[in-house]
Amino acid sequence: MLIQLNLPAKAQKYFFKAAICFIIGIFCFSGSLYALALTGIKWFGPITPLGGLTFMVGWGLFAYAATTINEVNK
């Protein structure tokens, strides 16, 4: 269930980008670890740090979006 909040357009844009980074990061990080463990194919290993980096970028975007909300800055 998605809830529509009355947020500034800038905050909504960065929250959306953060959500995309979270999804990509989780799939790349966890997916590559599962694939490496189940198949043993070594080229899944270098994908894992990219997923972690994407997940961290998502947290950075989330924090930036949270600071753009006027209620937080008061």
Side-chain angles (χ1 to χ4, degrees):
M1 174 187 217
L2 296 175
I3 299 173
Q4 178 65 34
L5 299 174
N6 190 15
L7 296 174
K10 185 177 182 180
Q12 287 182 358
K13 179 176 73 169
Y14 282 104
F15 278 129
F16 179 76
K17 288 180 181 182
I20 296 298
C21 286
F22 285 151
I23 292 168
I24 292 171
I26 288 170
F27 278 116
C28 287
F29 184 79
S30 299
S32 65
L33 289 176
Y34 277 117
L36 182 63
L38 295 175
T39 65
I41 299 173
K42 298 292 183 192
W43 63 268
F44 284 119
I47 297 172
T48 305
L50 297 175
L53 179 66
T54 307
F55 198 62
M56 288 189 289
V57 168
W59 277 114
L61 289 170
F62 183 85
Y64 179 74
T67 60
T68 61
I69 300 173
N70 293 334
E71 287 81 18
V72 174
N73 292 330
K74 289 182 181 178

XYZ file of all heavy atoms in Angstrom:
571
model
N 0.841 -1.172 0.000
C 0.000 0.000 0.000
C 0.888 1.238 0.000
O 1.761 1.397 0.843
C -0.906 -0.031 1.226
C -1.718 1.188 1.416
S -2.564 1.085 2.993
C -4.064 1.836 2.573
N 0.674 2.099 -0.946
C 1.436 3.335 -1.024
C 0.608 4.478 -0.472
O -0.592 4.566 -0.695
C 1.812 3.629 -2.476
C 2.748 2.620 -3.140
C 2.935 2.980 -4.606
C 4.076 2.592 -2.431
N 1.264 5.343 0.244
C 0.595 6.504 0.820
C 1.134 7.746 0.134
O 2.342 7.942 0.059
C 0.845 6.584 2.340
C 0.302 5.345 3.027
C 0.231 7.852 2.914
C 0.654 5.272 4.488
N 0.234 8.564 -0.369
C 0.637 9.808 -1.007
C 0.755 10.881 0.068
O -0.215 11.228 0.719
C -0.395 10.220 -2.065
C -0.089 11.524 -2.747
C 1.184 11.483 -3.574
O 1.506 10.459 -4.148
N 1.902 12.574 -3.623
N 1.945 11.377 0.265
C 2.173 12.428 1.240
C 2.271 13.764 0.531
O 2.658 13.845 -0.628
C 3.459 12.163 2.020
C 3.493 10.866 2.822
C 4.868 10.680 3.424
C 2.450 10.896 3.905
N 1.946 14.798 1.237
C 2.020 16.140 0.677
C 3.448 16.658 0.869
O 3.722 17.445 1.765
C 0.992 17.050 1.358
C 0.878 18.375 0.632
O 1.331 18.513 -0.493
N 0.259 19.341 1.280
N 4.352 16.188 0.015
C 5.760 16.563 0.089
C 6.110 17.465 -1.076
O 5.473 17.417 -2.125
C 6.646 15.315 0.039
C 6.526 14.340 1.194
C 7.364 13.101 0.911
C 6.963 14.979 2.488
N 7.151 18.274 -0.912
C 7.615 19.072 -2.049
C 8.056 18.159 -3.192
O 8.484 17.019 -2.982
C 8.802 19.844 -1.489
C 8.687 19.776 -0.010
C 7.909 18.542 0.294
N 7.966 18.670 -4.414
C 8.308 17.873 -5.593
C 9.765 17.419 -5.551
O 10.087 16.294 -5.952
C 8.047 18.689 -6.858
N 10.645 18.268 -5.031
C 12.059 17.906 -4.953
C 12.268 16.714 -4.022
O 12.998 15.787 -4.344
C 12.867 19.109 -4.466
C 14.353 18.897 -4.458
C 15.074 20.173 -4.037
C 16.566 19.985 -4.065
N 17.284 21.191 -3.655
N 11.582 16.718 -2.881
C 11.704 15.610 -1.936
C 11.139 14.331 -2.533
O 11.731 13.260 -2.390
C 11.000 15.947 -0.626
N 9.992 14.423 -3.216
C 9.395 13.242 -3.835
C 10.331 12.642 -4.875
O 10.466 11.429 -4.973
C 8.059 13.594 -4.481
C 6.954 13.829 -3.498
C 5.637 14.131 -4.184
O 5.553 14.199 -5.411
N 4.597 14.325 -3.387
N 10.975 13.512 -5.648
C 11.885 13.035 -6.686
C 13.045 12.262 -6.076
O 13.389 11.180 -6.559
C 12.419 14.236 -7.483
C 13.400 13.854 -8.575
C 13.819 15.058 -9.399
C 14.757 15.921 -8.603
N 15.412 16.962 -9.395
N 13.625 12.769 -4.985
C 14.764 12.094 -4.375
C 14.341 10.854 -3.582
O 15.097 9.892 -3.513
C 15.574 13.062 -3.510
C 16.446 13.950 -4.362
C 16.111 15.276 -4.592
C 17.597 13.452 -4.958
C 16.903 16.083 -5.384
C 18.399 14.245 -5.744
C 18.046 15.567 -5.964
O 18.830 16.358 -6.755
N 13.157 10.853 -2.993
C 12.659 9.643 -2.344
C 12.443 8.535 -3.381
O 12.736 7.374 -3.132
C 11.362 9.899 -1.582
C 11.563 10.477 -0.215
C 10.882 11.616 0.182
C 12.415 9.882 0.696
C 11.057 12.155 1.441
C 12.601 10.404 1.958
C 11.922 11.546 2.329
N 11.932 8.906 -4.557
C 11.732 7.921 -5.621
C 13.068 7.360 -6.096
O 13.214 6.143 -6.275
C 10.977 8.565 -6.794
C 10.743 7.623 -7.935
C 9.765 6.649 -7.851
C 11.498 7.707 -9.092
C 9.549 5.774 -8.893
C 11.291 6.839 -10.143
C 10.306 5.868 -10.043
N 14.055 8.226 -6.287
C 15.383 7.761 -6.704
C 16.008 6.865 -5.639
O 16.666 5.874 -5.959
C 16.298 8.947 -6.994
C 15.947 9.674 -8.263
C 16.895 10.833 -8.504
C 16.533 11.582 -9.765
N 17.454 12.688 -10.049
N 15.795 7.199 -4.370
C 16.312 6.375 -3.281
C 15.668 4.994 -3.307
O 16.350 3.979 -3.122
C 16.066 7.047 -1.936
N 14.368 4.941 -3.552
C 13.669 3.653 -3.605
C 14.200 2.791 -4.746
O 14.401 1.577 -4.569
C 12.165 3.872 -3.771
N 14.464 3.397 -5.885
C 15.014 2.655 -7.019
C 16.394 2.119 -6.675
O 16.722 0.959 -6.961
C 15.058 3.545 -8.281
C 13.647 3.951 -8.709
C 15.799 2.851 -9.416
C 12.749 2.803 -9.085
N 17.225 2.943 -6.034
C 18.562 2.493 -5.632
C 18.480 1.363 -4.608
O 19.282 0.417 -4.661
C 19.379 3.654 -5.072
S 19.966 4.789 -6.330
N 17.537 1.438 -3.667
C 17.357 0.361 -2.695
C 17.021 -0.951 -3.399
O 17.593 -1.996 -3.099
C 16.243 0.690 -1.700
C 16.608 1.709 -0.666
C 15.633 2.516 -0.119
C 17.899 1.871 -0.228
C 15.938 3.456 0.846
C 18.231 2.810 0.731
C 17.247 3.601 1.269
N 16.089 -0.898 -4.332
C 15.661 -2.112 -5.026
C 16.799 -2.711 -5.839
O 17.080 -3.912 -5.764
C 14.428 -1.811 -5.907
C 13.224 -1.486 -5.027
C 14.119 -2.980 -6.834
C 12.046 -0.898 -5.764
N 17.480 -1.871 -6.617
C 18.599 -2.363 -7.428
C 19.714 -2.888 -6.530
O 20.293 -3.951 -6.797
C 19.111 -1.248 -8.363
C 18.059 -0.924 -9.425
C 20.426 -1.647 -9.027
C 18.375 0.300 -10.257
N 20.014 -2.160 -5.456
C 21.071 -2.583 -4.553
C 20.785 -3.905 -3.875
O 21.662 -4.764 -3.769
N 19.558 -4.094 -3.435
C 19.195 -5.348 -2.776
C 19.284 -6.512 -3.748
O 19.834 -7.566 -3.424
C 17.785 -5.243 -2.151
C 17.828 -4.324 -0.923
C 17.237 -6.613 -1.781
C 16.473 -3.958 -0.379
N 18.758 -6.321 -4.963
C 18.813 -7.404 -5.937
C 20.244 -7.725 -6.349
O 20.618 -8.896 -6.460
C 17.966 -7.087 -7.171
C 16.513 -7.387 -6.986
C 15.584 -6.369 -7.024
C 16.069 -8.678 -6.772
C 14.238 -6.635 -6.845
C 14.725 -8.962 -6.598
C 13.803 -7.936 -6.636
N 21.052 -6.702 -6.577
C 22.443 -6.957 -6.982
C 23.256 -7.560 -5.841
O 24.002 -8.522 -6.047
C 23.094 -5.669 -7.463
S 22.519 -5.107 -9.052
N 23.137 -7.003 -4.654
C 23.929 -7.489 -3.530
C 23.499 -8.896 -3.116
O 24.276 -9.846 -3.156
C 23.819 -6.519 -2.346
C 24.680 -6.891 -1.178
C 26.029 -6.604 -1.179
C 24.141 -7.539 -0.077
C 26.831 -6.955 -0.102
C 24.929 -7.896 1.004
C 26.282 -7.599 0.984
N 22.250 -9.023 -2.729
C 21.769 -10.321 -2.247
C 21.707 -11.348 -3.370
O 22.075 -12.503 -3.186
C 20.386 -10.171 -1.619
O 20.446 -9.299 -0.522
N 21.251 -10.914 -4.534
C 21.143 -11.829 -5.661
C 22.479 -12.404 -6.081
O 22.589 -13.595 -6.392
N 23.499 -11.561 -6.098
C 24.817 -12.068 -6.499
C 25.377 -13.028 -5.454
O 26.040 -14.014 -5.802
C 25.781 -10.911 -6.741
O 26.040 -10.207 -5.545
N 25.111 -12.764 -4.178
C 25.572 -13.694 -3.148
C 24.852 -15.039 -3.233
O 25.476 -16.101 -3.109
C 25.401 -13.082 -1.758
C 26.346 -11.936 -1.421
C 26.012 -11.362 -0.062
C 27.790 -12.388 -1.475
N 23.533 -14.994 -3.440
C 22.787 -16.243 -3.618
C 23.282 -16.996 -4.846
O 23.480 -18.213 -4.803
C 21.279 -15.969 -3.760
C 20.565 -15.811 -2.456
C 19.952 -14.607 -2.133
C 20.476 -16.858 -1.555
C 19.284 -14.453 -0.933
C 19.803 -16.717 -0.350
C 19.216 -15.508 -0.053
O 18.550 -15.362 1.130
N 23.461 -16.283 -5.954
C 23.904 -16.932 -7.183
C 25.300 -17.523 -7.019
O 25.567 -18.633 -7.501
C 23.886 -15.931 -8.333
N 26.167 -16.805 -6.328
C 27.518 -17.311 -6.087
C 27.482 -18.568 -5.214
O 28.172 -19.549 -5.489
C 28.375 -16.231 -5.432
C 29.828 -16.570 -5.141
C 30.584 -16.849 -6.424
C 30.487 -15.415 -4.395
N 26.651 -18.546 -4.185
C 26.569 -19.696 -3.282
C 25.919 -20.905 -3.947
O 26.331 -22.046 -3.717
C 25.785 -19.322 -2.030
N 24.912 -20.675 -4.771
C 24.182 -21.791 -5.369
C 24.849 -22.365 -6.612
O 24.748 -23.565 -6.873
C 22.750 -21.367 -5.701
C 21.876 -21.021 -4.495
C 20.521 -20.496 -4.962
C 21.708 -22.215 -3.588
N 25.509 -21.510 -7.389
C 26.086 -21.984 -8.645
C 27.599 -22.135 -8.581
O 28.150 -22.934 -9.315
C 25.752 -21.033 -9.802
O 26.364 -19.766 -9.576
C 24.250 -20.888 -9.975
N 28.257 -21.333 -7.765
C 29.710 -21.374 -7.703
C 30.399 -20.628 -8.832
O 31.617 -20.676 -8.952
N 29.626 -19.950 -9.670
C 30.209 -19.177 -10.768
C 30.879 -17.938 -10.179
O 30.253 -17.134 -9.499
C 29.130 -18.790 -11.801
C 28.499 -20.044 -12.391
C 29.731 -17.924 -12.896
C 27.313 -19.768 -13.288
N 32.160 -17.792 -10.445
C 32.967 -16.767 -9.775
C 32.666 -15.341 -10.231
O 32.923 -14.404 -9.496
C 34.458 -17.049 -9.996
C 34.909 -18.367 -9.423
C 34.864 -18.348 -7.925
C 35.388 -19.655 -7.364
N 35.137 -19.820 -5.985
N 32.131 -15.131 -11.420
C 31.933 -13.764 -11.877
C 30.769 -13.068 -11.174
O 30.557 -11.874 -11.360
C 31.799 -13.670 -13.396
C 30.628 -14.371 -14.005
C 30.592 -15.629 -14.484
C 29.324 -13.827 -14.206
N 29.345 -15.917 -14.958
C 28.543 -14.825 -14.804
C 28.731 -12.602 -13.931
C 27.217 -14.637 -15.133
C 27.409 -12.414 -14.258
C 26.662 -13.428 -14.853
N 30.011 -13.791 -10.356
C 28.984 -13.143 -9.533
C 29.617 -12.361 -8.375
O 29.004 -11.443 -7.849
C 28.003 -14.167 -8.958
C 27.005 -14.680 -9.949
C 26.953 -16.026 -10.267
C 26.111 -13.823 -10.568
C 26.037 -16.514 -11.170
C 25.192 -14.295 -11.479
C 25.156 -15.645 -11.788
N 30.833 -12.717 -7.995
C 31.513 -12.053 -6.884
C 31.726 -10.566 -7.069
O 31.433 -9.769 -6.165
N 32.222 -10.107 -8.230
C 32.429 -8.664 -8.418
C 31.141 -7.835 -8.476
O 31.188 -6.614 -8.352
C 33.167 -8.582 -9.757
C 33.798 -9.904 -9.930
C 32.870 -10.887 -9.273
N 30.002 -8.472 -8.649
C 28.726 -7.740 -8.692
C 28.304 -7.310 -7.288
O 27.648 -6.282 -7.110
C 27.644 -8.607 -9.362
C 28.036 -8.897 -10.805
C 26.280 -7.938 -9.311
C 27.156 -9.893 -11.500
N 28.704 -8.059 -6.282
C 28.287 -7.817 -4.901
C 28.639 -6.411 -4.417
O 27.769 -5.712 -3.875
C 28.884 -8.881 -3.970
O 28.523 -10.170 -4.466
C 28.366 -8.733 -2.556
N 29.875 -5.919 -4.603
C 30.173 -4.556 -4.138
C 29.384 -3.476 -4.871
O 29.054 -2.438 -4.289
C 31.668 -4.392 -4.407
C 32.202 -5.753 -4.547
C 31.077 -6.597 -5.056
N 29.047 -3.716 -6.127
C 28.234 -2.743 -6.861
C 26.841 -2.631 -6.256
O 26.273 -1.535 -6.153
C 28.142 -3.121 -8.332
C 29.458 -3.116 -9.105
C 29.237 -3.624 -10.521
C 30.061 -1.738 -9.110
N 26.295 -3.762 -5.834
C 24.995 -3.741 -5.162
C 25.064 -3.019 -3.833
O 24.167 -2.250 -3.483
N 26.141 -3.246 -3.079
C 26.313 -2.545 -1.807
C 26.473 -1.049 -2.006
O 25.924 -0.249 -1.241
N 27.218 -0.669 -3.034
C 27.407 0.757 -3.327
C 26.082 1.410 -3.723
O 25.766 2.515 -3.262
C 28.432 0.920 -4.447
C 28.718 2.341 -4.888
C 29.387 3.127 -3.760
C 29.605 2.334 -6.120
N 25.305 0.711 -4.542
C 23.999 1.245 -4.941
C 23.084 1.402 -3.730
O 22.335 2.381 -3.629
C 23.355 0.328 -5.992
O 24.273 0.116 -7.056
C 22.088 0.929 -6.546
N 23.145 0.461 -2.812
C 22.332 0.530 -1.597
C 22.755 1.730 -0.750
O 21.911 2.452 -0.204
C 22.477 -0.777 -0.825
C 21.396 -1.008 0.186
C 20.079 -1.126 -0.180
C 21.713 -1.125 1.528
C 19.087 -1.345 0.751
C 20.735 -1.343 2.474
C 19.417 -1.456 2.080
N 24.060 1.979 -0.638
C 24.545 3.138 0.122
C 24.160 4.452 -0.550
O 23.824 5.431 0.136
C 26.050 3.052 0.312
C 26.466 1.989 1.294
S 28.204 2.020 1.724
C 28.955 1.457 0.217
N 24.184 4.486 -1.874
C 23.732 5.683 -2.595
C 22.258 5.934 -2.292
O 21.832 7.086 -2.109
C 23.979 5.538 -4.113
C 23.264 6.614 -4.903
C 25.469 5.568 -4.412
N 21.478 4.871 -2.220
C 20.060 5.008 -1.865
C 19.873 5.642 -0.496
O 19.018 6.503 -0.314
N 20.686 5.235 0.490
C 20.593 5.840 1.820
C 20.995 7.307 1.775
O 20.395 8.140 2.470
C 21.449 5.082 2.829
C 20.755 3.891 3.384
C 21.105 2.595 3.206
C 19.576 3.883 4.196
N 20.210 1.780 3.852
C 19.263 2.545 4.475
C 18.745 4.876 4.704
C 18.170 2.171 5.232
C 17.653 4.502 5.482
C 17.382 3.171 5.736
N 21.984 7.643 0.971
C 22.383 9.043 0.836
C 21.276 9.883 0.217
O 20.991 10.996 0.689
N 20.641 9.363 -0.820
C 19.522 10.073 -1.437
C 18.346 10.202 -0.477
O 17.670 11.237 -0.438
C 19.082 9.347 -2.713
C 20.025 9.434 -3.899
C 19.579 8.478 -4.999
C 20.111 10.849 -4.417
N 18.113 9.162 0.307
C 17.034 9.202 1.292
C 17.296 10.300 2.334
O 16.395 11.068 2.681
C 16.910 7.835 1.969
C 15.784 7.746 2.948
C 14.507 7.442 2.520
C 15.993 7.966 4.300
C 13.457 7.356 3.422
C 14.962 7.879 5.202
C 13.682 7.577 4.756
N 18.527 10.368 2.820
C 18.871 11.397 3.811
C 18.750 12.791 3.212
O 18.239 13.711 3.862
C 20.287 11.164 4.331
N 19.191 12.956 1.976
C 19.088 14.266 1.326
C 17.622 14.654 1.141
O 17.245 15.807 1.391
C 19.820 14.262 -0.019
C 19.718 15.578 -0.737
C 20.455 16.677 -0.296
C 18.882 15.745 -1.823
C 20.354 17.899 -0.931
C 18.769 16.954 -2.467
C 19.506 18.032 -2.018
O 19.402 19.237 -2.655
N 16.802 13.714 0.707
C 15.381 14.003 0.522
C 14.718 14.366 1.838
O 13.875 15.265 1.894
C 14.677 12.797 -0.106
N 15.119 13.708 2.919
C 14.536 14.003 4.229
C 14.901 15.412 4.684
O 14.101 16.078 5.340
C 14.998 12.982 5.253
N 16.096 15.870 4.337
C 16.493 17.219 4.751
C 15.846 18.306 3.906
O 15.847 19.469 4.309
C 18.024 17.392 4.715
O 18.478 17.165 3.392
C 18.692 16.441 5.686
N 15.302 17.954 2.740
C 14.641 18.964 1.912
C 13.216 19.241 2.339
O 12.609 20.193 1.866
C 14.639 18.549 0.429
O 13.933 17.322 0.284
C 16.050 18.411 -0.108
N 12.673 18.427 3.248
C 11.317 18.655 3.740
C 11.375 19.820 4.732
O 12.196 19.839 5.650
C 10.770 17.384 4.412
C 10.735 16.240 3.405
C 9.392 17.634 4.992
C 10.379 14.912 4.017
N 10.498 20.776 4.556
C 10.526 21.998 5.375
C 10.297 21.733 6.845
O 10.857 22.420 7.695
C 9.487 22.984 4.857
C 9.842 23.516 3.482
O 11.019 23.544 3.120
N 8.847 23.913 2.727
N 9.479 20.749 7.194
C 9.204 20.471 8.603
C 10.453 19.989 9.335
O 10.603 20.194 10.524
C 8.083 19.428 8.737
C 6.718 19.950 8.400
C 6.454 19.974 6.911
O 7.176 19.293 6.147
O 5.532 20.664 6.477
N 11.351 19.340 8.624
C 12.573 18.830 9.237
C 13.540 19.982 9.498
O 14.270 19.995 10.490
C 13.228 17.756 8.325
C 14.563 17.323 8.880
C 12.301 16.576 8.171
N 13.550 20.971 8.629
C 14.500 22.073 8.733
C 14.114 23.101 9.774
O 14.896 23.992 10.078
C 14.653 22.758 7.374
C 15.338 21.846 6.369
O 16.147 21.009 6.734
N 14.994 22.005 5.101
N 12.931 23.027 10.345
C 12.493 24.025 11.315
C 13.142 23.816 12.652
O 13.493 22.806 13.096
C 10.971 23.991 11.477
C 10.277 24.533 10.256
C 8.787 24.518 10.487
C 8.082 25.053 9.230
N 6.649 25.034 9.365
